[in-house]
Amino acid sequence: MAAGMMLARAGWSVRVHERSSEIRESGAGIYLRDNSLNVLDEYGLFERLAEQGTRLERSLSIDRDGTVRQNIAVPAHARSYVVPRQSLVDVLAYGARQAGVEIALNSEVQSAEPDGSLLLSDGRRQKADLIIAADGFNSRIRDGLNIGARHWELDTAVNRHFIPNRLITPKPESIQYWSGNRRIGVAPSGPTHSYVFIAFPNRDSVAKRLPLDLDDWTRAFPLLREQLPVIAAAPTTQYRYVMVECPRWHSGRVAIIGDAAHGLPPTLGQGAGLAIMNARTLTEALSREQDALKALPYWESCMRFISDETQKWSCRYDLFTRAWPTQLEFLRPAIFWAFNNFPSLTQRMRIADRGLTITPLSPHSAKAA
Ligand SMILES: Cc1cc2nc3c(=O)[nH]c(=O)nc-3n(C[C@H](O)[C@H](O)[C@H](O)COP(=O)(O)OP(=O)(O)OC[C@H]3O[C@@H](n4cnc5c(N)ncnc54)[C@H](O)[C@@H]3O)c2cc1C
């Protein structure tokens, strides 16, 4: 949707094919940082979204016994928001429609060819100068291109709970609670909602139970004794962490973007952020080099490093929770200490947060130049 809006604004004639009957997201929050917020700003959509979300002022990490391992003020120049997922897709769909994008619902794509042919599931065939495969982790278009891509589920499961009040999130803070191989993140998501994610090893059959086994979770997180019943009562969805390895993000006139290209564990809150950032730089590459056959390799060569690094660090972060040996629990604070004392580590891990300022395709540096 983001790529469609940007290309339409740049003068392209765009159609989005969505297999569902509506533009819909699950009830949950989503973290967005400057790499995507700057893009929304540029397209005049930031204010519309920001009023439905919460700007975070602090980020904390707290151990089972209440020891605060990290307490970081979000710097004024680096925005971090949590917004309802539905608000994000609504704002993008609004921007796309305003830009003249045609959105075809109930329109499932079967496959795409490098020459720009698109085959729909109802048997119709269409031709385009450029096809963007933004069809998610299980991307049928990517797999049909036979470029050697792989995707798989990781051994971590995650619940997302969307709570229709701010009782457990009175302050604009994101807090992560750690206990053994489990982690709970709590943050406000706009004026009326709180967003909670709970990550745990997929083999942990008790943790996996829905509704939550309150006795078990309270033993693991005694600090959250009062909040857990509120969390357990809220609408919940359960997922597995995923990973995508895609050796190329393009084949002829087909570009692969978003989770289809670089699905990753959500530990750094950057999956959608990368998708929006990469859509922006794809548009930039196409405005510099009109021929898609030349623009796509250029785009990938500029953006690949940021996505690859973010995937690597997201997996490390996942292992840090899920696979940390419980008998070495006493060593985990050393990792927090290292990140607290060597900001360059955080900068490397969060390279995507600065993405648009460090790529040669940066629309912002291009403007400045
Ligand atoms: C628990 C969890 C927490 C997360 N937290 C964050 C976060 O805080 N911040 C962040 O930035 N990211 C987060 N992410 C990642 C983020 O949700 C994804 O990276 C993002 O949704 C990817 O967007 P996408 O458009 O590439 O794919 P999707 O969101 O999967 O969208 C794909 C779309 O394509 C449609 N489609 C699929 N196949 C076809 C077809 N054949 N024909 C037509 N339409 C089709 C689908 O219906 C869907 O609408 C999280 C993910 C999870 C699981």
Side-chain angles (χ1 to χ4, degrees):
M1 199 64 78
M5 171 189 71
M6 293 172 205
L7 287 171
R9 289 265 199 108
W12 290 66
S13 163
V14 182
R15 187 184 310 114
V16 171
H17 293 273
E18 168 56 54
R19 68 178 169 194
S20 302
S21 56
E22 50 188 327
I23 309 294
R24 184 172 28 89
E25 252 293 353
S26 60
I30 188 161
Y31 289 76
L32 295 175
R33 300 198 165 76
D34 266 340
N35 58 329
S36 51
L37 296 174
N38 284 343
V39 176
L40 295 172
D41 236 345
E42 191 185 345
Y43 285 82
L45 297 174
F46 171 72
E47 296 298 338
R48 186 177 275 267
L49 182 63
E51 66 192 24
Q52 301 176 55
T54 302
R55 183 175 185 159
L56 298 175
E57 291 175 10
R58 302 199 81 78
S59 151
L60 293 96
S61 289
I62 301 180
D63 265 353
R64 183 181 183 281
D65 64 1
T67 310
V68 178
R69 297 287 172 203
Q70 279 190 317
N71 184 351
I72 302 167
V74 180
H77 63 271
R79 291 172 297 179
S80 178
Y81 272 77
V82 182
V83 303
R85 280 181 168 259
Q86 189 61 45
S87 302
L88 175 62
V89 292
D90 285 347
V91 162
L92 290 173
Y94 165 82
R97 289 197 173 98
Q98 291 285 102
V101 173
E102 178 191 340
I103 301 175
L105 299 173
N106 298 308
S107 184
E108 190 178 54
V109 173
Q110 188 63 37
S111 62
E113 299 292 333
D115 68 354
S117 307
L118 189 73
L119 179 64
L120 301 177
S121 292
D122 63 9
R124 280 182 298 146
R125 199 171 268 280
Q126 299 180 338
K127 195 86 181 173
D129 296 317
L130 171 68
I131 295 172
I132 299 183
D135 49 346
F137 161 68
N138 281 310
S139 175
R140 191 187 276 179
I141 303 180
R142 173 200 63 212
D143 292 347
L145 290 169
N146 292 320
I147 48 176
R150 293 195 314 129
H151 65 288
W152 66 96
E153 289 183 334
L154 299 171
D155 290 330
T156 305
V158 60
N159 297 338
R160 295 196 300 216
H161 304 255
F162 205 43
I163 301 156
N165 59 61
R166 289 279 304 267
L167 294 175
I168 64 166
T169 56
K171 294 184 189 168
E173 298 175 340
S174 168
I175 308 180
Q176 292 204 48
Y177 297 90
W178 299 72
S179 175
N181 297 118
R182 301 179 183 179
R183 187 164 51 96
I184 299 184
V186 180
S189 177
T192 55
H193 280 77
S194 305
Y195 169 48
V196 174
F197 64 83
I198 303 188
F200 49 88
N202 188 50
R203 62 175 185 279
D204 186 341
S205 55
V206 182
K208 231 173 157 177
R209 280 184 204 148
L210 285 177
L212 296 180
D213 181 329
L214 282 177
D215 288 340
D216 182 64
W217 281 100
T218 308
R219 264 194 302 279
F221 292 88
L223 288 179
L224 294 175
R225 182 176 305 279
E226 286 173 16
Q227 290 90 331
L228 280 164
V230 180
I231 297 169
T236 308
T237 41
Q238 192 170 85
Y239 300 82
R240 288 282 290 278
Y241 280 11
V242 298
M243 182 67 187
V244 172
E245 248 177 40
C246 189
R248 273 193 293 142
W249 291 353
H250 60 89
S251 177
R253 297 189 176 280
V254 185
I256 308 166
I257 203 166
D259 276 9
H262 48 67
L264 73 179
T267 44
L268 297 175
Q270 267 295 355
L274 283 176
I276 293 171
M277 177 175 88
N278 289 350
R280 178 64 189 95
T281 50
L282 175 61
T283 310
E284 187 71 20
L286 285 160
S287 73
R288 294 182 192 187
E289 184 61 77
Q290 294 284 326
D291 182 355
L293 295 177
K294 292 185 182 155
L296 300 190
Y298 173 54
W299 163 67
E300 179 171 349
S301 69
C302 295
M303 301 310 296
R304 184 89 211 196
F305 175 72
I306 297 172
S307 291
D308 286 353
E309 282 299 294
T310 306
Q311 278 189 311
K312 265 189 237 158
W313 280 99
S314 296
C315 288
R316 285 177 192 147
Y317 201 129
D318 172 37
L319 290 175
F320 183 50
T321 313
R322 186 230 312 159
W324 192 266
T326 33
Q327 60 275 29
L328 295 183
E329 184 88 29
F330 65 97
L331 277 180
R332 196 147 56 179
I335 307 284
F336 283 113
W337 180 88
F339 276 84
N340 286 337
N341 288 281
F342 299 99
S344 61
L345 273 176
T346 305
Q347 281 200 351
R348 286 184 62 187
M349 178 171 77
R350 295 203 165 276
I351 183 172
D353 296 16
R354 299 174 290 131
L356 273 176
T357 59
I358 56 177
T359 142
L361 269 177
S362 160
H364 302 282
S365 58
K367 262 188 213 147

